[in-house]
Amino acid sequence: MDLKLSPEDEAFRAMVRSYFDTEYPADILAKLANGQSLGKADRQASERALNAKGWVAPGWPREYGGPGWGITERFIFDAELERAGAPSVVPMGLLYLAPVLYTFGTDAQKARWLPDILASRTYWAQGYSEPESGSDLASLRMSAIPDGGDYVVNGEKIWTSDGHHADWIFCLVRTSSEGRKQQGITFLCMDMQSPGIAVIPIITIDGGHHLNRVVFDNVRVPIENRIGEEGLGWTYARHLLSYERVSYAHVAGKRRQIENLKRHSAEAPWGDELADRRQSFGARLAEVEIRLDALEITVLRALAPLSTGAAPGDEASIIKIAATETAQAITELQVELAGVYASPFFPDRYRADWRAGLEMIPDFAAPGVADYFFTRAQTIYGGATEVQKNIIAKQLGL
Ligand SMILES: Cc1cc2nc3c(=O)[nH]c(=O)nc-3n(C[C@H](O)[C@H](O)[C@H](O)COP(=O)(O)OP(=O)(O)OC[C@H]3O[C@@H](n4cnc5c(N)ncnc54)[C@H](O)[C@@H]3O)c2cc1C
């Protein structure tokens, strides 16, 4: 595989780099460089800035507002965004739902939802998992029963990321219990303001509020909010998941973290603290970097068929495992390097001046333990590692 970029691609890279250096909101970059978290308003500001440039949805077809880039340009763009330290877009609407909408939705649904997603006017949540239906998603029970022009929805979703911020939620619901359990699942979009929806927070091990339980009690949802045909939701859900799994790679972001670790591990006082275990730390850092190189090549291989308009294949499962395990290994090294400065809960880090007087602390120290804890979830969400291994084994005929 020839990984050299053409002069045109190099020019494209220079243009994107210059945008992040000079035009992209500097306050958002500064917050992240300072180890602070971004709120909903920051994320929307970031997406609106990208959208003003026409760059917020690199994977969308041009007719719906995508920039019309090829695969190489998309890869370069993602790499430059992460290299600059800018946040990735919130994936639920832009990366997960949109491909389902423009592939399977009606013209009216596309016109109703895609422009708002593009302009970050709406925030979406993903309602797949239920209590006792996570890995075995097809066993889900939340019911939707037709009644006049509506479905009446009853049941519960769990682990709903950002459900407390969401204006809309796309859900898998059961419209029939006949036949195989994959049949009878339907893909339904619901307005979170609908009467009968309650959002209950779940606080995770990092101390943050990212997740929720969402309870649906006789919620009326117009039938025109159904994507595609009744009972074919499983097909659409699988389409969506293949995009979701490839989206976890974040190669350039990991590269940035590794460079940061290298730099800090060479500096005092970190260099001194590492003195007695420098060799083992260096060896593990090198191993993570090699894993990342392998991940990058795998991502390039998986992206190649997308240029023909195909959805990602089962390589997505390999990427999911490699990317999430590498992410976890990086946070382990960060916590080890931060040493005594790594604090499990450091609420002050949400303030811009949290490092005042503590400037020698690397940006990853205070968020380090929280990030370490939260990154444990990467090998669970989007399909747990064991489940990805089952998919790979099936492909290999094992
Ligand atoms: C931070 C976070 C964010 C999430 N966000 C969302 C969201 O926005 N929307 C949403 O719908 N869901 C979300 N989820 C839910 C996530 O998709 C599920 O947690 C995941 O699918 C696993 O399901 P489960 O938690 O029910 O665990 P289980 O399915 O009960 O799995 C428990 C363990 O058993 C193993 N296991 C299960 N089945 C098999 C098998 N067949 N072979 C081998 N091992 C197996 C699993 O690998 C795991 O280790 C999120 C989860 C987390 C942690």
Side-chain angles (χ1 to χ4, degrees), residues 92 96 124-137 157-163 169-170 172 204 210-212 241 244-245 248 374 376-390:
M92 307 307 176
Y96 303 163
W124 284 79
Q126 178 182 33
Y128 276 20
S129 307
E130 296 181 11
E132 293 164 47
S133 297
S135 302
D136 184 16
L137 186 59
K157 294 291 175 185
I158 196 163
W159 317 123
T160 315
S161 298
D162 281 348
I169 184 166
F170 55 91
L172 294 180
T204 38
H210 315 279
L211 303 184
N212 304 275
L241 276 173
E244 179 171 342
R245 287 172 187 154
Y248 290 125
F374 196 66
R376 303 300 99 193
Q378 286 202 12
T379 44
I380 300 171
Y381 58 66
T385 295
E386 293 78 6
V387 171
Q388 304 308 315
K389 287 182 177 169
N390 286 347

Side-chain angles (χ1 to χ4, degrees), residues 21-34:
D21 285 348
T22 58
E23 285 181 59
Y24 180 85
D27 57 327
I28 295 177
L29 296 179
K31 270 191 179 175
L32 286 178
N34 194 35

Side-chain angles (χ1 to χ4, degrees), residues 134-152:
S135 302
D136 184 16
L137 186 59
S139 68
L140 63 92
R141 286 169 297 181
M142 189 158 100
S143 71
I145 298 173
D147 181 43
D150 295 334
Y151 286 106
V152 179

Side-chain angles (χ1 to χ4, degrees), residues 19-302:
Y19 164 77
F20 282 109
D21 285 348
T22 58
E23 285 181 59
Y24 180 85
D27 57 327
I28 295 177
L29 296 179
K31 270 191 179 175
L32 286 178
N34 194 35
Q36 289 174 260
S37 300
L38 296 185
K40 179 177 176 179
D42 294 317
R43 293 195 161 268
Q44 284 180 314
S46 171
E47 288 173 14
R48 284 180 184 147
L50 294 174
N51 189 39
K53 201 79 188 160
W55 291 354
V56 78
W60 291 24
R62 197 198 284 274
E63 59 184 302
Y64 301 119
W69 290 339
I71 288 302
T72 311
E73 287 153 317
R74 282 170 56 186
F75 184 79
I76 292 171
F77 176 78
D78 285 349
E80 288 301 317
L81 177 139
E82 291 180 12
R83 182 187 168 276
S88 303
V89 296
V90 178
M92 307 307 176
L94 282 161
L95 301 188
Y96 303 163
L97 177 64
V100 174
L101 267 180
Y102 57 66
T103 310
F104 303 107
T106 62
D107 287 345
Q109 289 171 335
K110 291 176 201 171
R112 179 179 180 194
W113 286 315
L114 288 176
D116 282 346
I117 293 175
L118 205 58
S120 290
R121 281 190 291 266
T122 50
Y123 219 80
W124 284 79
Q126 178 182 33
Y128 276 20
S129 307
E130 296 181 11
E132 293 164 47
S133 297
S135 302
D136 184 16
L137 186 59
S139 68
L140 63 92
R141 286 169 297 181
M142 189 158 100
S143 71
I145 298 173
D147 181 43
D150 295 334
Y151 286 106
V152 179
V153 177
N154 279 289
E156 189 171 321
K157 294 291 175 185
I158 196 163
W159 317 123
T160 315
S161 298
D162 281 348
H164 53 306
H165 292 313
D167 308 296
W168 284 83
I169 184 166
F170 55 91
C171 286
L172 294 180
V173 295
R174 184 157 296 288
T175 40
S176 164
S177 305
E178 306 289 312
R180 287 171 63 231
K181 60 187 175 182
Q182 285 80 0
Q183 294 164 339
I185 292 178
T186 295
F187 197 105
L188 207 54
C189 298
M190 302 185 215
D191 184 339
M192 289 292 282
Q193 296 304 317
S194 313
I197 298 185
V199 180
I200 299 140
I202 298 174
I203 304 303
T204 38
I205 192 171
D206 62 327
H209 177 196
H210 315 279
L211 303 184
N212 304 275
R213 195 156 69 84
V214 186
V215 179
F216 301 77
D217 179 14
N218 283 318
V219 179
R220 296 196 78 87
V221 183
I223 282 182
E224 69 249 26
N225 287 12
R226 184 187 72 215
I227 308 290
E229 287 180 45
E230 188 174 286
L232 287 190
W234 191 250
T235 311
Y236 315 137
R238 281 173 55 85
H239 186 80
L240 182 153
L241 276 173
S242 62
Y243 284 94
E244 179 171 342
R245 287 172 187 154
V246 171
S247 78
Y248 290 125
H250 299 301
V251 171
K254 291 183 178 63
R255 186 87 60 208
R256 186 183 153 95
Q257 287 176 305
I258 288 173
E259 290 307 320
N260 209 6
L261 275 166
K262 276 191 200 165
R263 191 162 47 80
H264 281 298
S265 63
E267 282 172 2
W270 313 101
D272 298 341
E273 294 222 348
L274 277 180
D276 56 341
R277 58 201 154 94
R278 172 166 299 285
Q279 228 176 350
S280 78
F281 189 87
R284 277 181 293 141
L285 193 51
E287 190 195 320
V288 171
E289 197 168 10
I290 292 166
R291 272 206 248 171
L292 185 60
D293 289 343
L295 173 65
E296 184 167 28
I297 299 286
T298 312
V299 169
L300 289 169
R301 268 184 14 220

